[in-house]
Amino acid sequence: MKLTNRLLKIASLVSENKRVADIGTDHGYIPVYLLNKGIIDFAILADVNKGPLENARSEVRINKLEDKVDLRLGSGIEVLKKGEVDEVIIAGMGGILISELLEANKEVAHSLDKLILQPMQAQEELRKYLLNNGYEILNECLEKEDFRLYEIMEVRYTGKNTVVEDDIYYEVGKKLIENKDQLLEEFIDNKIKKYNNIIEKLGDKDSEAIISKRNLANEKIAKLKKLV
């Protein structure tokens, strides 16, 4: 079993000797990898669908790890009880769905040492939810796979909201800038291209709505250019 770059990066963020839950585990590749490497010695593998959970069960069986895992069918972190695990991985879902899963079981979400989150879209909305609902973003990194850049966040609940001085930091995480992530320039360039495409599609019409959208896109581009 060989992990993709994205999954390897996520696995590398898991702390040693911690009890881990992988939510939306699919084939269970990350926890199986971590168990085989001896990085952790117990994992809960959970999925809302029976098919993926059976895939994970098969992977666990092949690797003879039955005594080190617990497989659970259910939605998000609602399958967990407070104190069962130290860290939770939620990867490969939309940012809004991730925020809904955290909201659905605050008792568990707030008690964890760390959450490792990898949203596939709506990353901006997820950052906004986290920072306005008492979570601290401990770290962020980017990983490239098949020409796509993935955003990965390490977060923890502190109960303190974070004031963001500009909305651009919901779109580009401050930790990416502070860490001078090696993929940051490409990441920002991609966002600038996206806004330039929006401007191009708007054309030269001058209705109030079009002007507002064009001005917003130009404002975003100017802010993005200042980040690198």
Side-chain angles (χ1 to χ4, degrees):
M1 180 187 68
K2 189 174 186 298
L3 294 190
T4 64
N5 290 346
R6 175 178 69 93
L7 298 184
L8 270 174
K9 176 62 78 172
I10 293 166
S12 74
L13 301 176
V14 174
S15 307
E16 289 187 22
N17 303 316
K18 296 291 185 180
R19 297 164 299 161
V20 175
D22 185 25
I23 304 300
T25 194
D26 197 12
H27 285 74
Y29 290 149
I30 293 175
V32 167
Y33 169 86
L34 293 167
L35 289 163
N36 279 335
K37 291 285 185 182
I39 295 167
I40 62 172
D41 54 21
F42 173 75
I44 294 173
L45 285 62
D47 208 288
V48 71
N49 295 309
K50 287 183 179 179
L53 197 64
E54 287 308 309
N55 292 336
R57 193 184 306 279
S58 175
E59 196 67 33
V60 166
R61 194 178 298 121
I62 289 167
N63 286 273
K64 298 180 172 59
L65 295 169
E66 292 95 332
D67 61 333
K68 295 184 177 181
V69 307
D70 192 359
L71 293 108
R72 298 183 186 178
L73 182 67
S75 175
I77 58 174
E78 290 183 73
V79 300
L80 302 175
K81 294 177 183 175
K82 183 179 177 181
E84 281 191 299
V85 295
D86 308 299
E87 299 183 359
V88 162
I89 301 165
I90 309 178
M93 302 181 196
I96 293 172
L97 176 56
I98 292 173
S99 64
E100 289 172 350
L101 296 182
L102 299 182
E103 192 70 13
N105 192 345
K106 291 181 182 179
E107 183 183 26
V108 167
H110 292 179
S111 69
L112 297 165
D113 293 348
K114 182 170 74 175
L115 294 115
I116 300 167
L117 310 176
Q118 186 268 298
M120 298 296 281
Q121 61 269 332
Q123 294 89 347
E124 184 175 351
E125 287 83 354
L126 178 57
R127 282 193 193 88
K128 193 173 291 186
Y129 169 81
L130 293 169
L131 297 175
N132 288 294
N133 285 274
Y135 289 88
E136 177 187 358
I137 298 178
L138 303 168
N139 194 30
E140 285 200 54
C141 58
L142 298 166
E143 185 58 49
K144 191 171 186 177
E145 182 181 300
D146 296 332
F147 306 105
R148 178 171 179 174
L149 291 176
Y150 294 92
E151 300 167 63
I152 307 168
M153 310 171 192
E154 296 176 81
V155 312
R156 136 184 103 198
Y157 182 78
T158 64
K160 296 178 182 178
N161 292 353
T162 301
V163 176
V164 174
E165 59 266 33
D166 195 293
D167 283 357
I168 199 66
Y169 296 114
Y170 291 132
E171 197 164 345
V172 181
K174 268 196 161 185
K175 290 294 181 181
L176 294 176
I177 300 164
E178 291 173 9
N179 295 339
K180 296 182 172 61
D181 192 286
Q182 60 181 2
L183 293 168
L184 179 62
E185 191 170 339
E186 181 180 351
F187 179 67
I188 289 176
D189 282 345
N190 288 346
K191 288 188 174 291
I192 290 171
K193 286 175 187 173
K194 180 190 78 173
Y195 285 116
N196 277 325
N197 287 337
I198 290 171
I199 292 168
E200 189 177 335
K201 286 178 182 177
L202 290 173
D204 55 4
K205 296 176 184 175
D206 57 359
S207 71
E208 189 174 332
I210 294 292
I211 291 170
S212 176
K213 288 179 181 178
R214 190 185 297 120
N215 288 343
L216 179 61
N218 277 315
E219 184 183 323
K220 291 280 191 179
I221 290 169
K223 289 179 177 180
L224 287 165
K225 285 181 176 178
K226 290 179 181 178
L227 298 180
V228 289

